[in-house]
Amino acid sequence: MNTVVITGCTVADGRAATGADPVPDAGILVRGERIVDVGRREDVLAAAGSVPGEVTHLDLGGAYVTPGLVNMHTHLSLSLPGTAGDQVKDMNPHELALYMADGARRTLDCGVTTVRCVAEKDHADFALRRAIEAGRVPGPRIFTAGRALVCTGGHGHEGTDTLECDGADGLRRGVRSQIKAGADLIKVMISGGIAGRHESIDTPQLFADEMAAVIETAHAWGRKVTAHAGPAAVIAQAVALGLDCVEHGYQLTPEVAAQMAARGTALVPTLLVTRCKEFFDELGVPEWMQCRSLNAGPEHLESFATAVAAGVEVLLGSDMPPFWGFEGTNATVRELEHMAEVIGPARALYAATLGPARWLRAEADIGTVEPGRYADLVAMDEDPLASASAYRGVRWVMKGGQVVRSERKAP
């Protein structure tokens, strides 16, 4: 079992949002995959001296260390309308698996050590997760919904990343089919969205008995449910039925946001999807979709601010592939910057680490720099509690005690 002691760093994590101070001149002791000690450098070095066997010392040269980022809205097989999306749709299963594995590697390299996949093609996400866990390919920890559930002709029905279901019985079978495949959670489309040509953002797509069937069945099997949803009325109906999370939430009202906060329903706002013309142009996304997306931007941002003001738990999720180069950084960091403009950097750090870990029921393993957690860590030279843009400078990444990216400190 390898033992590593990390020094030359200040440790900060999402607990800062509730008043916990960062630890300057810190040390982190890692044994195998997990952290065994964190604290003052002298104390950790003393603890390392009592560990049997060889100890590797890593000095990060004054960096700030945080937990690895958690991206809660990921599609590694994304194929939007347009030329680039058509190329992904045309991939055979072998090509798709390699394409997604490359995306997983890139995701880990930019400091995202955990993802929540919320609709992937052909169940390739399960094979990718097994390959990553076996150490055959590099990539983040994967929590996945498998294929998202959608009504016949509903949002996203065109791809193999969704499963068309109708009626309460059909949706119950859909939930069970994804759990059978290995899903950690269930994703359901309950309204229209940006990428559907023959729908609008506020088109309702499930009846109440269908929503109830999804939520009741998933909860019976111990799985949470997240829903692609735009309009307030549809979201209110699902929240009343026990929905655990809303994706996008383009058109929230103060009343519905208050309902979400009272019920503990989280929001993954995916602010990038209504302010990413550069990305759309790169993918050849058609004009009708670009107009729908960009025109929804002001209300989308207002909706997010409304949720924050109501006390809704907000979590980081980019929708755009986590690693995608965008506006001078990657999509994950750019999303985090947008969120931080409203919630501030400390709360943004929480929304990117500990908050997602708690939603995933994985806080015993990820989300903080504490003994017992996986050594999933990132380092940068600027202070992330001063600005979320510090993550633009990630230069070192560790996952499960193994360094997967290491660059020298910038002169």
Side-chain angles (χ1 to χ4, degrees):
M1 184 180 292
N2 64 304
T3 302
V4 179
V5 61
I6 302 164
T7 59
C9 62
T10 295
V11 172
D13 64 28
R15 291 172 294 173
T18 57
D21 293 327
V23 182
D25 193 20
I28 307 169
L29 182 61
V30 176
R31 185 152 173 81
E33 293 186 315
R34 296 186 182 262
I35 299 166
V36 296
D37 195 13
V38 182
R40 296 190 310 162
R41 179 175 59 87
E42 294 85 353
D43 295 339
V44 172
L45 286 172
S50 64
V51 174
E54 184 177 349
V55 177
T56 300
H57 290 257
L58 296 177
D59 188 323
L60 295 181
Y64 289 85
V65 172
T66 76
L69 300 177
V70 183
N71 193 312
M72 291 283 279
H73 193 117
T74 298
H75 302 283
L76 293 172
S77 57
L78 182 69
S79 57
L80 295 176
T83 53
D86 290 343
Q87 291 172 3
V88 176
K89 290 178 182 177
D90 289 342
M91 290 179 180
N92 65 42
H94 312 294
E95 292 170 322
L96 180 66
L98 292 171
Y99 177 81
M100 291 176 65
D102 179 62
R105 176 187 60 80
R106 292 170 182 264
T107 295
L108 181 59
D109 191 60
C110 69
V112 177
T113 54
T114 301
V115 296
R116 187 185 68 159
C117 295
V118 286
E120 301 290 2
K121 291 179 171 51
D122 300 327
H123 281 173
D125 43 327
F126 298 112
L128 177 60
R129 181 172 64 184
R130 289 192 295 270
I132 291 171
E133 290 175 348
R136 290 190 291 270
V137 298
R141 304 183 193 280
I142 292 177
F143 293 80
T144 185
R147 298 171 72 180
L149 307 183
V150 57
C151 69
T152 295
H155 183 75
H157 73 278
E158 306 91 345
T160 59
D161 50 359
T162 58
L163 179 66
E164 289 182 306
C165 308
D166 293 299
D169 286 347
L171 282 152
R172 287 187 192 279
R173 283 193 293 272
V175 170
R176 290 169 179 148
S177 72
Q178 298 316 293
I179 293 172
K180 178 182 177 181
D184 305 291
L185 64 140
I186 297 298
K187 165 83 174 290
V188 61
M189 312 296 201
I190 64 174
S191 81
I194 285 170
R197 183 68 183 269
H198 303 295
E199 63 190 35
S200 63
I201 288 174
D202 59 0
T203 303
Q205 297 198 345
L206 293 187
F207 292 108
D209 66 325
E210 294 176 315
M211 289 188 207
V214 172
I215 294 167
E216 181 183 21
T217 306
H219 286 179
W221 285 80
R223 269 51 168 202
K224 290 185 175 182
V225 180
T226 195
H228 163 100
V234 170
I235 292 169
Q237 189 176 39
V239 171
L241 291 168
L243 182 68
D244 300 294
C245 188
V246 172
E247 308 297 311
H248 315 303
Y250 300 116
Q251 300 167 350
L252 289 174
T253 62
E255 294 76 16
V256 175
Q259 180 192 17
M260 290 175 63
R263 294 270 187 157
T265 307
L267 172 67
V268 180
T270 67
L271 298 173
L272 280 181
V273 302
T274 56
R275 44 193 42 80
C276 60
K277 179 170 175 52
E278 174 188 311
F279 174 67
F280 288 154
D281 288 343
E282 185 178 352
L283 269 59
V285 169
E287 186 66 18
W288 66 263
M289 180 176 163
Q290 294 209 30
C291 288
R292 185 184 295 177
S293 167
L294 302 176
N295 289 341
E299 186 177 16
H300 188 191
L301 188 58
E302 182 180 346
S303 177
F304 174 59
T306 297
V308 172
V312 174
E313 178 93 329
V314 295
L315 307 172
L316 171 70
S318 62
D319 203 349
M320 190 187 299
F323 58 86
W324 204 274
F326 182 66
E327 295 184 348
T329 183
N330 58 69
T332 301
V333 173
R334 193 68 189 100
E335 177 72 22
L336 191 63
E337 290 175 330
H338 282 306
M339 294 181 72
E341 289 176 7
V342 177
I343 63 177
R347 184 67 183 178
L349 177 55
Y350 173 90
T353 54
L354 181 54
R358 286 174 170 168
W359 194 94
L360 292 165
R361 301 179 178 133
E363 65 267 35
D365 291 321
I366 62 172
T368 57
V369 186
E370 291 185 272
R373 277 57 174 182
Y374 284 119
D376 294 354
L377 307 169
V378 298
M380 65 220 79
D381 292 323
E382 302 297 325
D383 183 359
L385 294 176
S387 172
S389 295
Y391 282 98
R392 288 177 175 248
V394 167
R395 61 176 173 87
W396 181 89
V397 179
M398 170 180 275
K399 182 198 167 194
Q402 298 295 321
V403 177
V404 296
R405 176 181 172 187
S406 182
E407 299 171 10
R408 292 181 179 274
K409 181 178 179 178

